[in-house]
Amino acid sequence: MNLGVARVESTETCGVLAFPEEVDLSNGEAILDQAVGLLDSGAPALIIDLTGCTFCDSNGLNVITRSQMRATELGVPMWVVLPSRGIVRRVTDVAGLQRRVAIAPDVATAREALAAPRA
């Protein structure tokens, strides 16, 4: 089990939460606390980056879903960056994550989307 927490980067335009290599029961709650902490500290947007994650079970999906709920409550846009293939992508596809959150192929694309004027 991986006890790693997410890597956090905060700028004036957004917070980026990069999942560790594995997300499961051992660290899911701590990562959720990091995400909610970023949102509650006033981050104007949130990007959750799963590109370095090689294993993500329902605890990782819970982090994303609950982060999205909190972001929505605060009126903060959120994007999820997913790898193009692999087990993490398959898990998120099967769970229908792309129907609930905005998905980007990389952090740069998510940043560009956040910088674009909203219609």
Side-chain angles (χ1 to χ4, degrees):
M1 296 291 166
N2 181 0
L3 298 175
V5 292
R7 189 179 74 253
V8 176
E9 172 194 333
S10 189
T11 68
E12 63 184 43
T13 59
C14 73
V16 178
L17 184 80
F19 273 24
E21 190 174 336
E22 297 180 9
V23 180
D24 54 30
L25 183 61
S26 70
N27 60 359
E29 199 64 36
I31 295 168
L32 177 62
D33 290 345
Q34 289 180 283
V36 171
L38 266 172
L39 290 165
D40 288 349
S41 71
L46 177 63
I47 297 171
I48 297 181
D49 180 7
L50 280 73
T51 55
C53 186
T54 59
F55 177 82
C56 177
D57 66 7
S58 62
N59 290 281
L61 296 174
N62 182 52
V63 170
I64 296 166
T65 302
R66 290 178 59 193
S67 297
Q68 177 64 51
M69 291 169 52
R70 184 65 181 143
T72 299
E73 288 173 6
L74 297 171
V76 173
M78 184 179 114
W79 283 78
V80 175
V81 177
L82 291 175
S84 61
R85 62 180 66 82
I87 188 68
V88 171
R89 182 60 185 238
R90 285 194 300 274
V91 166
T92 58
D93 285 351
V94 167
L97 189 68
Q98 68 278 9
R99 290 189 307 268
R100 294 190 295 274
V101 298
I103 304 293
D106 53 53
V107 172
T109 301
R111 287 184 191 274
E112 288 171 15
L114 290 169
R118 294 191 186 127

